Amino acid sequence: MTRRWSIARELFVLQVLVVTLLVAVGMAGAVLLARDDARNAAIEEVTAVAETIARSPQVADALRTPDPTVRLQPYAESVRVATGTDFVVVMAPDRTRYTHPNTRLIGQPFVGSVDAALDGGTVVEEYTGSLGESVRTVVPVRAADGRVVGLVSVGITTEAINRKLLRQVPAVTVATVAALALAAAGAWLLSRRLRRQTHGLGPAEMRRMYEYYDGVLHSVREGLMVVDRDGRVALVNDEGRRLLGLAGDAPLDRHTDDLDLPSEIADLLRSRRTAADEPVLAGDRVLVANQRVTRFEGRILGTVLTLRDHTELRALTGELDQVRGLTDALRAQAHEAANRLHTVLTMVELGRTDEAVRLGTAELALAQQLTDQVVGAVTEPALAALLLGKSAQASERGVEFVVDDESRIDGQPLPSRDLLTVVGNLVDNALEAVAGTDPPRSVTVLVARSGAEVVVRVTDTGPGLTGAQAAAAFDRGWTTKQQGRGLGLALVRQVVERYSGSYQVSTGAAGGAVVTVRLPVPG
């Protein structure tokens, strides 16, 4: 299979052909111009010589003698040789030649046009005479009284003009070859640079590459942004524009600082550090970012950032974690209930029936009290299940979980997912805060609708937060844990900003933290 020509080679050949054609046309034009110039120069020369001879007094005097040839022939030949012309003919008004380079033609009639000269004018023509084709001029010789007493014709043959042109051919040829060589060298340098830039690919290969790559970039469900070494955006695909909130017609070749990018994305691009599956916040989305510096043949080209939308996945993961926690808590409660049931049965077997009834009734009342409180106050099933699950988790950790008596949610004032995000992350944060502290450990939750807003307040008996910690608590990446990514409260902040709500961190009466979130009810 023969290898197709690269773009660089095609461009080189095309340039050489075009330059060769231009030089050939230019050379032909130059030859034609030189021929015209030589003809015009010959006409000027023979006209000047003829007028000079015609005005010479000795010519007019010789024409009055019985045999003008005797005096005029030597004179005409000396002028012809001195001026480099091919013939100098002095004739009578009736065309009879008195002089001629070919002495055999002396006395014969002149061949050519003389009418204008006989009228006192000048004849300039190309004519084929006795010496062949020539450029000639005929001027009158006037007597003292102004009468035309003779004619002078001076001419240069076309062959002589061509010989002069041929003497210029070597110089023109050298100039032409030099122009071709210079143009070929320039085309070769240009094709070499183009070959480096296109990596030797041919037009079909580049077209196929562009079509496939463009199709892939527009159809792939992963955001892609390519930034060059100077920090200017070279490429953003459709999914990247959607995830980053860039307008579809936003121009490229702009610095990342000039684009309205999410702060975390802008910081990541500015740092140019390597990132692998790093979660970042972009508006109300949770994105997973991967960034790497790209190189080609050892040269740094820039950075490539890929983004995947994990908002839905993270929400589902959070719900799954809550269900898993609830399942673990129910398993632990089932185990503890089995132990208590075994205790009650043993007491019945021992005949201590009254004490067994009191123990079983007390356990049932304690468990049912929280369930009745939550179900009675919160009619949203998912939120009620979340609170019961968090209660079980708190019990497993040895934390008292209290649902404030003023909690009240009727219907579904906000989407369940947003309520679960806010309540679940605030409770998880509170449980982490009280873990490991000295008893008593408690977390109190208030979820209520107050007028046109939903209020979520979570109070814990943990160590609390300092002023600086309270100010930074909802920032992305902030955490008090040894290991963690600090996404919980950042997700809460996203929900708050989406609803144009507010959040506040303060210190409770018992010294713990109090986090209050207010979300306006849409419509």
Side-chain angles (χ1 to χ4, degrees), residues 332-346 359:
Q333 285 185 344
H335 184 269
E336 185 174 353
N339 290 335
R340 291 173 180 173
L341 180 60
H342 180 71
T343 301
V344 170
L345 292 176
T346 302
L359 177 61

PDB file of all heavy atoms in Angstrom, residues 332-346 359:
ATOM      1  N   ALA A 332     -28.808  -4.017  65.347  1.00  0.00           N
ATOM      2  CA  ALA A 332     -28.372  -3.952  66.743  1.00  0.00           C
ATOM      3  C   ALA A 332     -29.558  -3.930  67.692  1.00  0.00           C
ATOM      4  O   ALA A 332     -29.545  -4.585  68.759  1.00  0.00           O
ATOM      5  CB  ALA A 332     -27.521  -2.700  66.947  1.00  0.00           C
ATOM      6  N   GLN A 333     -30.620  -3.200  67.312  1.00  0.00           N
ATOM      7  CA  GLN A 333     -31.801  -3.160  68.165  1.00  0.00           C
ATOM      8  C   GLN A 333     -32.462  -4.530  68.244  1.00  0.00           C
ATOM      9  O   GLN A 333     -32.958  -4.942  69.310  1.00  0.00           O
ATOM     10  CB  GLN A 333     -32.787  -2.127  67.642  1.00  0.00           C
ATOM     11  CG  GLN A 333     -32.379  -0.689  67.924  1.00  0.00           C
ATOM     12  CD  GLN A 333     -33.448   0.292  67.493  1.00  0.00           C
ATOM     13  OE1 GLN A 333     -34.349  -0.059  66.738  1.00  0.00           O
ATOM     14  NE2 GLN A 333     -33.337   1.521  67.984  1.00  0.00           N
ATOM     15  N   ALA A 334     -32.467  -5.246  67.103  1.00  0.00           N
ATOM     16  CA  ALA A 334     -33.057  -6.586  67.120  1.00  0.00           C
ATOM     17  C   ALA A 334     -32.274  -7.501  68.057  1.00  0.00           C
ATOM     18  O   ALA A 334     -32.850  -8.314  68.801  1.00  0.00           O
ATOM     19  CB  ALA A 334     -33.083  -7.160  65.707  1.00  0.00           C
ATOM     20  N   HIS A 335     -30.937  -7.349  68.004  1.00  0.00           N
ATOM     21  CA  HIS A 335     -30.109  -8.161  68.896  1.00  0.00           C
ATOM     22  C   HIS A 335     -30.393  -7.819  70.365  1.00  0.00           C
ATOM     23  O   HIS A 335     -30.548  -8.705  71.229  1.00  0.00           O
ATOM     24  CB  HIS A 335     -28.640  -7.928  68.567  1.00  0.00           C
ATOM     25  CG  HIS A 335     -27.700  -8.786  69.354  1.00  0.00           C
ATOM     26  ND1 HIS A 335     -27.169  -8.391  70.565  1.00  0.00           N
ATOM     27  CD2 HIS A 335     -27.210 -10.034  69.114  1.00  0.00           C
ATOM     28  CE1 HIS A 335     -26.392  -9.321  71.047  1.00  0.00           C
ATOM     29  NE2 HIS A 335     -26.382 -10.351  70.174  1.00  0.00           N
ATOM     30  N   GLU A 336     -30.501  -6.490  70.649  1.00  0.00           N
ATOM     31  CA  GLU A 336     -30.755  -6.074  72.027  1.00  0.00           C
ATOM     32  C   GLU A 336     -32.172  -6.455  72.447  1.00  0.00           C
ATOM     33  O   GLU A 336     -32.410  -6.878  73.603  1.00  0.00           O
ATOM     34  CB  GLU A 336     -30.565  -4.564  72.150  1.00  0.00           C
ATOM     35  CG  GLU A 336     -30.679  -4.056  73.578  1.00  0.00           C
ATOM     36  CD  GLU A 336     -30.355  -2.588  73.688  1.00  0.00           C
ATOM     37  OE1 GLU A 336     -29.917  -2.008  72.686  1.00  0.00           O
ATOM     38  OE2 GLU A 336     -30.541  -2.033  74.786  1.00  0.00           O
ATOM     39  N   ALA A 337     -33.133  -6.362  71.488  1.00  0.00           N
ATOM     40  CA  ALA A 337     -34.505  -6.764  71.820  1.00  0.00           C
ATOM     41  C   ALA A 337     -34.585  -8.248  72.127  1.00  0.00           C
ATOM     42  O   ALA A 337     -35.337  -8.698  73.021  1.00  0.00           O
ATOM     43  CB  ALA A 337     -35.435  -6.411  70.655  1.00  0.00           C
ATOM     44  N   ALA A 338     -33.787  -9.035  71.369  1.00  0.00           N
ATOM     45  CA  ALA A 338     -33.762 -10.478  71.645  1.00  0.00           C
ATOM     46  C   ALA A 338     -33.230 -10.750  73.044  1.00  0.00           C
ATOM     47  O   ALA A 338     -33.740 -11.634  73.766  1.00  0.00           O
ATOM     48  CB  ALA A 338     -32.911 -11.190  70.588  1.00  0.00           C
ATOM     49  N   ASN A 339     -32.196  -9.989  73.434  1.00  0.00           N
ATOM     50  CA  ASN A 339     -31.661 -10.175  74.797  1.00  0.00           C
ATOM     51  C   ASN A 339     -32.706  -9.818  75.850  1.00  0.00           C
ATOM     52  O   ASN A 339     -32.869 -10.524  76.870  1.00  0.00           O
ATOM     53  CB  ASN A 339     -30.426  -9.299  74.976  1.00  0.00           C
ATOM     54  CG  ASN A 339     -29.249  -9.803  74.147  1.00  0.00           C
ATOM     55  OD1 ASN A 339     -29.175 -10.992  73.820  1.00  0.00           O
ATOM     56  ND2 ASN A 339     -28.324  -8.903  73.814  1.00  0.00           N
ATOM     57  N   ARG A 340     -33.431  -8.716  75.609  1.00  0.00           N
ATOM     58  CA  ARG A 340     -34.434  -8.301  76.592  1.00  0.00           C
ATOM     59  C   ARG A 340     -35.610  -9.265  76.625  1.00  0.00           C
ATOM     60  O   ARG A 340     -36.165  -9.550  77.703  1.00  0.00           O
ATOM     61  CB  ARG A 340     -34.906  -6.887  76.260  1.00  0.00           C
ATOM     62  CG  ARG A 340     -33.819  -5.837  76.502  1.00  0.00           C
ATOM     63  CD  ARG A 340     -34.223  -4.476  76.023  1.00  0.00           C
ATOM     64  NE  ARG A 340     -33.153  -3.492  76.279  1.00  0.00           N
ATOM     65  CZ  ARG A 340     -33.170  -2.245  75.842  1.00  0.00           C
ATOM     66  NH1 ARG A 340     -34.203  -1.802  75.120  1.00  0.00           N
ATOM     67  NH2 ARG A 340     -32.181  -1.428  76.125  1.00  0.00           N
ATOM     68  N   LEU A 341     -35.975  -9.759  75.400  1.00  0.00           N
ATOM     69  CA  LEU A 341     -37.050 -10.748  75.369  1.00  0.00           C
ATOM     70  C   LEU A 341     -36.649 -12.014  76.105  1.00  0.00           C
ATOM     71  O   LEU A 341     -37.453 -12.618  76.849  1.00  0.00           O
ATOM     72  CB  LEU A 341     -37.401 -11.068  73.912  1.00  0.00           C
ATOM     73  CG  LEU A 341     -38.528 -12.105  73.715  1.00  0.00           C
ATOM     74  CD1 LEU A 341     -39.831 -11.612  74.354  1.00  0.00           C
ATOM     75  CD2 LEU A 341     -38.747 -12.382  72.230  1.00  0.00           C
ATOM     76  N   HIS A 342     -35.412 -12.420  75.956  1.00  0.00           N
ATOM     77  CA  HIS A 342     -34.917 -13.594  76.682  1.00  0.00           C
ATOM     78  C   HIS A 342     -34.966 -13.350  78.197  1.00  0.00           C
ATOM     79  O   HIS A 342     -35.319 -14.247  78.976  1.00  0.00           O
ATOM     80  CB  HIS A 342     -33.484 -13.903  76.231  1.00  0.00           C
ATOM     81  CG  HIS A 342     -32.893 -15.107  76.924  1.00  0.00           C
ATOM     82  ND1 HIS A 342     -33.304 -16.403  76.664  1.00  0.00           N
ATOM     83  CD2 HIS A 342     -31.924 -15.193  77.888  1.00  0.00           C
ATOM     84  CE1 HIS A 342     -32.604 -17.236  77.424  1.00  0.00           C
ATOM     85  NE2 HIS A 342     -31.756 -16.524  78.185  1.00  0.00           N
ATOM     86  N   THR A 343     -34.656 -12.093  78.578  1.00  0.00           N
ATOM     87  CA  THR A 343     -34.707 -11.742  80.009  1.00  0.00           C
ATOM     88  C   THR A 343     -36.136 -11.824  80.523  1.00  0.00           C
ATOM     89  O   THR A 343     -36.409 -12.357  81.631  1.00  0.00           O
ATOM     90  CB  THR A 343     -34.152 -10.329  80.214  1.00  0.00           C
ATOM     91  OG1 THR A 343     -32.808 -10.302  79.740  1.00  0.00           O
ATOM     92  CG2 THR A 343     -34.182  -9.944  81.681  1.00  0.00           C
ATOM     93  N   VAL A 344     -37.093 -11.298  79.720  1.00  0.00           N
ATOM     94  CA  VAL A 344     -38.499 -11.340  80.144  1.00  0.00           C
ATOM     95  C   VAL A 344     -38.984 -12.784  80.269  1.00  0.00           C
ATOM     96  O   VAL A 344     -39.664 -13.154  81.255  1.00  0.00           O
ATOM     97  CB  VAL A 344     -39.361 -10.544  79.148  1.00  0.00           C
ATOM     98  CG1 VAL A 344     -40.853 -10.767  79.430  1.00  0.00           C
ATOM     99  CG2 VAL A 344     -39.044  -9.068  79.224  1.00  0.00           C
ATOM    100  N   LEU A 345     -38.636 -13.625  79.301  1.00  0.00           N
ATOM    101  CA  LEU A 345     -39.056 -15.024  79.345  1.00  0.00           C
ATOM    102  C   LEU A 345     -38.466 -15.752  80.552  1.00  0.00           C
ATOM    103  O   LEU A 345     -39.138 -16.560  81.210  1.00  0.00           O
ATOM    104  CB  LEU A 345     -38.648 -15.736  78.050  1.00  0.00           C
ATOM    105  CG  LEU A 345     -39.396 -15.289  76.769  1.00  0.00           C
ATOM    106  CD1 LEU A 345     -38.826 -15.999  75.551  1.00  0.00           C
ATOM    107  CD2 LEU A 345     -40.888 -15.563  76.908  1.00  0.00           C
ATOM    108  N   THR A 346     -37.226 -15.437  80.840  1.00  0.00           N
ATOM    109  CA  THR A 346     -36.587 -16.075  81.999  1.00  0.00           C
ATOM    110  C   THR A 346     -37.289 -15.665  83.293  1.00  0.00           C
ATOM    111  O   THR A 346     -37.502 -16.488  84.210  1.00  0.00           O
ATOM    112  CB  THR A 346     -35.110 -15.688  82.051  1.00  0.00           C
ATOM    113  OG1 THR A 346     -34.474 -16.097  80.824  1.00  0.00           O
ATOM    114  CG2 THR A 346     -34.415 -16.376  83.213  1.00  0.00           C
ATOM    115  N   LEU A 359     -41.048  -4.709  82.988  1.00  0.00           N
ATOM    116  CA  LEU A 359     -39.849  -4.499  82.155  1.00  0.00           C
ATOM    117  C   LEU A 359     -40.213  -4.403  80.683  1.00  0.00           C
ATOM    118  O   LEU A 359     -39.769  -3.501  79.955  1.00  0.00           O
ATOM    119  CB  LEU A 359     -38.852  -5.641  82.386  1.00  0.00           C
ATOM    120  CG  LEU A 359     -37.570  -5.585  81.514  1.00  0.00           C
ATOM    121  CD1 LEU A 359     -36.794  -4.311  81.803  1.00  0.00           C
ATOM    122  CD2 LEU A 359     -36.699  -6.816  81.774  1.00  0.00           C
TER     123      LEU A 359
END
